[in-house]
Amino acid sequence: MSVVEDPHDVRIAVGATGLLRDLNRAGVLDAVDLHVAARVTTLAHDEDPLVALAVAVAVRAVRGGSVCVRLDGLVAEDDEVAWPDPATWRAAIAASPLTRDPEVLHLEDDRLYLDRYWREEVQVCTDVLARASTGRVERPEGLDRVFPLTGYDEQRDAAALALAQPTTVLTGGPGTGKTTAVAGLLALLAEQAEQQGAPRLRIALAAPTGKAAARLQQAVEKEVGNLRDEADRGRLAGLRAMTLHRLLGTRPDTSARFRHHRDNRLPHDVVVVDEASMVSLTMMARLLEALRPDARLVLVGDPDQLASVEAGAVLADLVDGLGARRDVEVAALATSHRFGEAIGALAAAVRDGRADDAVALLRQGDPHVVFEETEDPGPVLRDVLLPRARQLRLAGLDGAADEALALLDGHRLLCAHRDGPHGVHHWNHQVERWLSEELTEGLWSAWYPGRPFLVTANDYGLGIYNGDTGAAVLRRGVLRAVVAGVTGPLDLATSRVSDVETMHAMTIHKSQGSQAGEVTVLLPDVESRLLTRELLYTAITRAQDRVRVVGSEASVRAAVDRPVGRASGLRERLREGG
């Protein structure tokens, strides 16, 4: 616990009393948790402090990405806090008007939910199980046509499995050929529809973010182009990917509901969702209710990566929950073709929670895995980042856009935090200060030749997406913003690219779905709540050729030993059949 000393700190809830006050001052509960609890209990005319505490911890759980809070686990895991007796606490919650119509809290065994998330979890489980397989089909002859006889065994088996069930979860780490399997599967489904005399198969490709959707379209187009049969390529021509929000149809009156729902289903025969680890519980509920009962759903992703920034770790829950059933099988790809043996071994050690092996691999001296063990990252990062910043500036001054974009793809500094001494803002400013010290004129403007930037909002008119990267270059004496678009570089006036930030460094969250030749990972102190196994695994697997970890052994071990603990009841529901 980190005690809040300053009485004027924004995290302090003025007027809080009793245990709520103590937990707030101890940093366990934030002011927002207590404000919501106070308002809700006042409206319900419930003055029991145990009920107010229940609301506060349920709100805190959702803020932290959990769908619910396990009361028994909460009491058992944090012995520094004088939590109430679980049985007494549950009895007080059960007696509260907040658990009756209209329900605000829902208590199920030791799991406490805000009612909305309980309903969404039950709905997701019900919809997934309603789409369970009704029986296997014969292995189609087209498998050997779509997939070469050697080298694609895992993808061939995954596609065969997906053909046999209405819902398929396709998992695999970076570079395991998930898109290859999807393209082959779509080719076979399109062929089946044609043979049955059905109209052209209606396929939707979707992803949680605009950038992920753009990458999905690019990857599928490439894999479709690699299909050997011209008829297969023709059936899949013109596929377009979009965000889940655009697929479901946004509404001007609400951000929580969409045009497509249970009473207005999507028209598609097949829906493929990439980067499914980033899909929240709420979005998964909206997607499932919008699917036609006879439509196929393929969820593609890596359950070991960072989960959604909103509540839920749905992909991981689906993998664990469905893995215990016999009527739905998970298709898993294991062989990575993206990076070498050393990076793959390090990623596996982190993923599996083997801290000793991870440290040993970092220290073994392999040129593809470097460990800069230090408490002061400044000198190391200066040596790594300043030469690249110089190269970017020269490319920008020369108008060499292709060279500048190649430099961006050649290296990325990834940070856990946005703010603070280990954060993106600090290191972006630090690199610019180092660069300014070498220039007679300094850097007096946000835009300068060689400025690397990250797009932070979708602009469908310009064709750029949140997560796109680019660099500023001089052309005919005018500074231009060149964005690495999906279909090629986009040359834009800097005034048209308003939602951007400097990108000498970027967060690990923003890096999801991307890759670079070399990646430098800056680890925060061991106390950082963001330092988790999934965070380090995601960062390491962004590298194609070389990964450099900067930080202490203690931070490495803390990350590996700290899996994200997102509480949910979904996997138990799936295993138990609802």
Side-chain angles (χ1 to χ4, degrees), residues 118-152:
W118 175 79
R119 291 178 184 276
E120 289 176 347
E121 183 177 282
V122 171
Q123 183 220 309
V124 167
C125 178
T126 302
D127 285 346
V128 167
L129 294 183
R131 299 174 52 80
S133 178
T134 56
R136 300 300 300 269
V137 298
E138 294 184 8
R139 191 179 181 88
E141 297 179 0
L143 276 173
D144 290 336
R145 182 192 75 250
V146 171
F147 297 100
L149 295 178
T150 58
Y152 290 84

Side-chain angles (χ1 to χ4, degrees), residues 13 97 458:
N458 296 332

Side-chain angles (χ1 to χ4, degrees), residues 509-551:
H509 274 87
K510 282 284 189 181
S511 74
Q512 278 190 274
S514 66
Q515 56 186 335
E518 181 178 340
V519 164
T520 297
V521 184
L522 177 60
L523 296 181
D525 294 332
V526 293
E527 293 82 9
S528 170
R529 289 187 293 180
L530 296 182
L531 188 61
T532 63
R533 181 183 301 172
E534 289 79 2
L535 184 96
L536 182 54
Y537 172 82
T538 300
I540 289 170
T541 54
R542 298 312 93 203
Q544 293 175 287
D545 304 314
R546 194 171 194 241
V547 62
R548 177 187 296 102
V549 176
V550 180

Side-chain angles (χ1 to χ4, degrees), residues 209 211-212 215-216 274-275 278 305 338 508-515 538 541-542:
T209 68
K211 180 62 175 176
R215 290 195 193 99
L216 172 61
D274 196 21
E275 297 291 350
M278 300 166 64
Q305 287 192 43
R338 172 180 289 184
I508 296 170
H509 274 87
K510 282 284 189 181
S511 74
Q512 278 190 274
S514 66
Q515 56 186 335
T538 300
T541 54
R542 298 312 93 203

Side-chain angles (χ1 to χ4, degrees), residues 383-397:
D383 290 344
V384 172
L385 300 176
L386 186 54
R388 290 176 170 82
R390 291 193 197 106
Q391 290 177 294
L392 270 171
R393 180 164 178 80
L394 290 175
L397 290 169

Side-chain angles (χ1 to χ4, degrees), residues 451-474:
R451 179 199 183 190
F453 62 83
L454 177 72
V455 177
T456 58
N458 296 332
D459 189 325
Y460 296 104
L462 293 178
I464 61 177
Y465 303 96
N466 184 359
D468 277 344
T469 59
V473 301
L474 275 176

Side-chain angles (χ1 to χ4, degrees), residues 11-320:
R11 292 171 292 175
I12 293 293
V14 178
T17 60
L19 181 57
L20 286 170
R21 177 190 181 281
D22 295 341
L23 291 175
N24 179 224
R25 298 302 192 275
V28 176
L29 296 174
D30 279 358
V32 64
D33 306 324
L34 271 63
H35 291 324
V36 173
R39 183 60 176 163
V40 168
T41 52
T42 297
L43 290 172
H45 305 291
D46 191 333
E47 298 180 357
D48 191 334
L50 292 181
V51 175
L53 178 60
V55 176
V57 297
V59 172
R60 183 190 75 156
V62 171
R63 284 197 304 105
S66 291
V67 175
C68 61
V69 58
R70 295 178 182 269
L71 298 182
D72 292 350
L74 186 69
V75 173
E77 292 170 8
D78 199 340
D79 55 9
E80 296 183 34
V81 177
W83 295 105
D85 171 68
T88 304
W89 200 2
R90 285 196 294 270
I93 297 169
S96 172
L98 291 175
T99 61
R100 294 187 284 278
D101 192 27
E103 226 171 358
V104 175
L105 295 176
H106 192 95
L107 184 62
E108 184 173 337
D109 299 325
D110 76 323
R111 299 194 300 269
L112 177 68
Y113 297 81
L114 295 176
D115 186 62
R116 165 191 163 179
Y117 293 97
W118 175 79
R119 291 178 184 276
E120 289 176 347
E121 183 177 282
V122 171
Q123 183 220 309
V124 167
C125 178
T126 302
D127 285 346
V128 167
L129 294 183
R131 299 174 52 80
S133 178
T134 56
R136 300 300 300 269
V137 298
E138 294 184 8
R139 191 179 181 88
E141 297 179 0
L143 276 173
D144 290 336
R145 182 192 75 250
V146 171
F147 297 100
L149 295 178
T150 58
Y152 290 84
D153 294 343
E154 290 182 349
Q155 288 78 13
R156 185 188 301 110
D157 291 343
L161 178 61
L163 285 167
Q165 51 191 25
T167 300
T168 299
V169 178
L170 174 61
T171 70
T176 52
K178 297 188 291 293
T179 311
T180 301
V182 167
L185 169 65
L186 295 178
L188 292 169
L189 289 172
E191 180 189 38
Q192 286 183 354
E194 184 179 272
Q195 290 173 346
Q196 294 167 3
R200 181 182 171 93
L201 199 68
R202 289 167 293 188
I203 300 170
L205 304 178
T209 68
K211 180 62 175 176
R215 290 195 193 99
L216 172 61
Q217 180 173 322
Q218 184 182 39
V220 169
E221 285 178 348
K222 177 181 177 182
E223 293 298 336
V224 168
N226 290 337
L227 293 172
R228 296 179 296 172
D229 192 288
E230 184 178 350
D232 288 328
R233 297 194 298 271
R235 295 185 189 105
L236 299 179
L239 287 179
R240 291 291 179 267
M242 65 188 79
T243 64
L244 281 170
H245 284 81
R246 294 193 85 185
L247 173 67
L248 295 174
T250 55
R251 286 170 40 177
D253 59 327
T254 175
S255 60
R257 293 287 175 175
F258 299 91
R259 289 190 297 105
H260 290 287
H261 45 75
R262 210 172 294 278
D263 296 321
N264 181 31
R265 307 274 189 164
L266 289 165
H268 303 92
D269 304 302
V270 183
V271 175
V272 178
V273 180
D274 196 21
E275 297 291 350
S277 65
M278 300 166 64
V279 179
S280 67
L281 176 68
T282 298
M283 183 56 75
M284 188 63 73
R286 300 292 82 81
L287 171 65
L288 287 168
E289 70 183 11
L291 292 173
R292 297 197 335 254
D294 60 339
R296 290 181 182 269
L297 174 64
V298 182
L299 299 173
V300 185
D302 184 351
D304 299 308
Q305 287 192 43
L306 287 166
S308 165
V309 295
E310 300 176 51
V314 183
L315 183 64
D317 285 344
L318 290 173
V319 170
D320 288 347

